[in-house]
Amino acid sequence: MPRLASMTPPLAPAADAGTARRALFAAVVISLGVSLIVVDATIVGVLLPQLVDDLGLSTASAEWVTSVYALVFAALLIPFGRAGDLFGRRRMIVLGVAVFTVASVLAALSSDSTTLIGARALQGVGASMVMPATLSTLNAMFTGKQRAHAFGIWGATIAGMSALGPLVGGALASGGTWRWAFGVNLFFGAVLIWGVLKVVPETRADGAGGRLGVDWPGAVLSALAFGLLVCGIIEGPTFGWWNATRNVAVGGLSPIPLMIVAGLALLAVLTVVERARAAAGRPVMLDLTLFSIPNFRNGNLSSALINVGELGLLFVLPLFLLGVHGSAPLEISVAILPLAAGAFGSGAVAHVLANRYGPHRVVQGGMALEVLAVLALAAVLSPTTGGFGLAPWMLLYGLGLGLTSAQLTNVSLADVPPDRAGQASGTQSTARQIGAALGVAVIGTVFATTLGHAMSGRLDRDGLPAGQRDAITHDLRHSAGTYARDLHRTSGMGEVARAADASLADASRAGALATAIILAGGLLLSLRLRPAGTSRASRDDEPAAQTLTAERVGTAAPEQ
C-alpha cells in the first residue's frame, strides 16, 4: 500500500485501487459517525409529546431538552477540534463515540426532566469530540475534486440524517417508548467504534504531538456567553422579558435582561481575550483572522442561520400536529419524511450541479428554495392543515436543505490554508450548533409567546372569566400546546378546544414566518459567496499554504 505519511497531495491519481477503496470506506464510516450525532440533534422533536406526557416537561424544559445538546456541542467543538489536531483525530472520534453512547444510555434511563437534560448535555460533549475530528480527517485525506466529493457526502449526510431523525424517533417510539430512541445508540455506537478502528487512518496536525495547545479560557468564556444568551431567550416567557412575572428579582425587574446583557458582554470579553492570546503567540479557540476570508465568514454565518431554521421548524411542527390533530409519533414522522427524502435526493446530485454551475451557486439556489418553502408553510398553516398539507412544502424545503448543506462546507473551507483547517472546521461546526441552540430558543420562544397571547385573546373575546382564562392559557403554553388534546376530551369544552387549535396554528405560523426571515438573512449572505480562490484574502494566503505540509497521517496503519 502506498505510504500515506505525506499529505501533499493525499490520494494522488497514482494511488492504487486498494488505497482509494480504503479511503472511500473511511469516508463512509466517518459519515455514519456524523449521522449518529446529527440524528440525535433532531430526533427529540418528534419525541417531545411523549416526553411532555411521561416526564411532565414544561415548554421551557422541552426547549432545554432540545437545545442543551446543541449548546454544549457548540461550546466544546473548537477546543476538542484542536485537541484532535494535537493528539489524533481517530482517537478523538473513538473517545467521543464512547462518551456519546454512555450518555445515550443515561438518557434512555432518565426518570425526570433534570436527568434527561443532564444526559443530553453529556451527549453534546461526546458529539463535540466527534464532529470536528471527522471533518478534519476528510480534509486531511482528500484534495481537489476528491475532497469536494467527500465534503458533498459529508454535507448531504448531515442534511439527510437531520431530517431523517424525526422519522427514526417516531418509528422507535411507536414500536415501544421514547426510551428506545436513545437506547438503540448502544448498538450503533459499538459498531461505529469498530468501523473507525478498522478503516479510518490516524491524522493530526504536523508537529503537534505532545503540545498542549487548547485554549480553555476561550472555551469557558464561549460556553458562558452562549449559555446565558440561550438561557435568557428560553426562559424569557417564564420569568418575563422586563418586569418579573415571578418573585425572582429585587424591584420587580426580571433576570432575563441581565442574562442577555451579561452574555453579550462575555462575547465582547471573548473577542478581546482571543486577540490578546493571538498577539502573544498563544493558542486561541477562535482564530479571528479566519474571518478575513470572505467565503469563510459568509459561509459560517449562513450555516448558523440554516440551523436556526431547520431546528426551529422541527421543534414547532411536531407540537402543532400533536396538539391540533393528536398525531402519534410515527404519523408525525411520516409528515416530516418528505424533508428527509428531499434532502437526500438533492444532496446526492449536488456535486454534479456544483461541477457545472459552481458550489456557491448551488448553495444560493438551495437557500432560495428553503425561504420559498417556509413562506409557503406559513401561508397554508391552519387548524385544518395535516401532514399531507405540509408534505409538498417539506419536500421543497428538504430539496433546498440538501443542496445547501452538501456544498456549503466545501465553499466555506476552500480558501482556508491547510495548517488552519482543523480550527476552521471546528469553527464552522460551532456556527452550525450555535444556530441550532439559538434556533430552538428563538423559534420556540416565538411559538410559546404567540400561543399564549392568541389563546388569551380568543378566550377573552368569548367572555370567559379572567381566572379560568388565565389558567387555561397557562396550561396550554406550559404544556407546549399538548393540553389542547385534553380540552378536546373534556365535555363541554368544545369551543375552548377549537380556540386552542386556532391558537396553535397562529403560533406555528408565527414560528414559520420568523424562520423565513432568518433564512432570508442567510440567503442574502450566500449571495456574497464567490468561487474558491477568487478572494483577495485567499490569494494572499496561497503562497504560504503551498509551502506547508500541514497534515500528516500517523505511521501506524489502520487496524486490519
Side-chain angles (χ1 to χ4, degrees):
M1 181 180 298
R3 182 173 62 91
L4 294 177
S6 173
M7 299 304 295
T8 51
L11 297 181
D16 62 32
T19 300
R21 280 197 301 270
R22 179 176 291 277
L24 177 61
F25 289 148
V28 170
V29 169
I30 286 171
S31 295
L32 291 175
V34 172
S35 299
L36 182 66
I37 61 177
V38 169
V39 163
D40 268 63
T42 59
I43 200 172
V44 169
V46 76
L47 301 177
L48 279 177
Q50 278 197 1
L51 291 171
V52 170
D53 289 340
D54 194 12
L55 300 181
L57 299 184
S58 65
T59 301
S61 295
E63 290 184 50
W64 275 117
V65 168
T66 305
S67 63
V68 72
Y69 175 80
L71 181 61
V72 175
F73 198 166
L76 298 177
L77 266 168
I78 293 179
F80 278 131
R82 180 59 177 159
D85 288 346
L86 296 172
F87 306 118
R89 293 160 186 147
R90 184 178 69 165
R91 183 177 301 164
M92 190 61 64
I93 293 172
V94 171
L95 179 60
V97 172
V99 171
F100 186 90
T101 302
V102 170
S104 297
V105 173
L106 294 176
L109 298 175
S110 297
S111 58
D112 53 44
S113 61
T114 302
T115 53
L116 180 58
I117 291 170
R120 290 283 289 168
L122 186 60
Q123 278 190 316
V125 174
S128 66
M129 296 177 180
V130 175
M131 178 69 85
T134 60
L135 188 52
S136 295
T137 299
L138 288 180
N139 203 47
M141 290 178 62
F142 298 92
T143 56
K145 291 184 177 180
Q146 292 175 326
R147 178 181 291 171
H149 187 56
F151 280 165
I153 295 173
W154 189 86
T157 300
I158 288 180
M161 295 308 295
S162 61
L164 193 61
L167 179 64
V168 175
L172 291 171
S174 297
T177 72
W178 59 267
R179 299 181 188 277
W180 281 106
F182 294 110
V184 73
N185 288 338
L186 180 61
F187 168 76
F188 289 120
V191 172
L192 183 59
I193 290 174
W194 175 84
V196 170
L197 293 174
K198 190 78 173 177
V199 300
V200 176
E202 181 65 281
T203 68
R204 56 173 59 88
D206 187 43
R211 286 193 295 112
L212 182 59
V214 180
D215 175 17
W216 292 113
V220 170
L221 283 171
S222 175
L224 289 175
F226 287 111
L228 286 169
L229 288 174
V230 171
C231 182
I233 295 171
I234 288 177
E235 299 293 347
T238 301
F239 292 98
W241 290 106
W242 187 255
N243 294 319
T245 57
R246 296 185 177 186
N247 187 22
V248 292
V250 178
L253 178 66
S254 170
I256 299 304
L258 300 178
M259 285 186 187
I260 294 176
V261 169
L264 294 173
L266 285 175
L267 284 179
V269 172
L270 172 65
T271 302
V272 172
V273 168
E274 297 301 274
R275 289 187 184 279
R277 289 178 65 90
R282 302 178 67 187
V284 293
M285 187 196 75
L286 186 63
D287 186 352
L288 297 174
T289 62
L290 285 172
F291 290 91
S292 66
I293 302 173
N295 273 9
F296 182 80
R297 178 177 64 249
N298 294 319
N300 272 271
L301 292 173
S302 295
S303 292
L305 294 177
I306 289 169
N307 266 31
V308 168
E310 182 183 6
L311 271 294
L313 275 182
L314 293 178
F315 178 82
V316 166
L317 291 181
L319 294 174
F320 166 77
L321 289 171
L322 174 81
V324 175
H325 301 291
S327 302
L330 186 57
E331 294 171 355
I332 296 173
S333 301
V334 172
I336 299 174
L337 179 61
L339 195 161
F344 274 125
S346 61
V349 301
H351 71 282
V352 177
L353 297 175
N355 289 336
R356 182 169 183 177
Y357 301 107
H360 64 299
R361 296 298 185 199
V362 174
V363 171
Q364 293 160 3
M367 288 294 298
L369 290 178
E370 289 183 52
V371 173
L372 178 62
V374 177
L375 286 174
L377 274 173
V380 303
L381 273 169
S382 74
T384 60
T385 305
F388 287 110
L390 299 177
W393 312 116
M394 296 299 283
L395 176 63
L396 183 63
Y397 183 81
L399 290 172
L401 181 64
L403 292 175
T404 303
S405 297
Q407 292 301 315
L408 188 54
T409 299
N410 184 30
V411 174
S412 301
L413 299 182
D415 293 335
V416 174
D419 62 310
R420 299 155 78 188
Q423 190 171 65
S425 62
T427 301
Q428 194 200 42
S429 297
T430 298
R432 294 178 63 90
Q433 296 311 315
I434 288 172
L438 291 176
V440 173
V442 172
I443 307 303
T445 295
V446 169
F447 174 83
T449 302
T450 305
L451 179 60
H453 285 314
M455 189 62 177
S456 180
R458 284 187 170 86
L459 296 182
D460 189 41
R461 289 193 297 272
D462 290 343
L464 219 62
Q468 188 179 5
R469 178 198 65 200
D470 292 344
I472 293 173
T473 299
H474 172 270
D475 288 344
L476 183 66
R477 190 176 72 176
H478 188 74
S479 68
T482 59
Y483 182 59
R485 303 318 306 162
D486 294 333
L487 292 173
H488 278 282
R489 291 188 290 265
T490 303
S491 177
M493 298 294 284
E495 284 296 322
V496 175
R498 285 187 285 275
D501 291 346
S503 299
L504 274 165
D506 288 346
S508 301
R509 192 181 307 114
L513 287 173
T515 299
I517 292 171
I518 291 167
L519 290 175
L523 174 59
L524 292 176
L525 286 168
S526 74
L527 295 177
R528 300 177 64 86
L529 296 173
R530 296 292 180 264
T534 59
S535 68
R536 181 174 61 83
S538 66
R539 289 196 301 270
D540 292 344
D541 284 332
E542 186 176 358
Q546 290 176 345
T547 66
L548 289 168
T549 304
E551 309 288 346
R552 64 179 177 85
V553 175
T555 55
E559 296 178 18
Q560 302 297 318

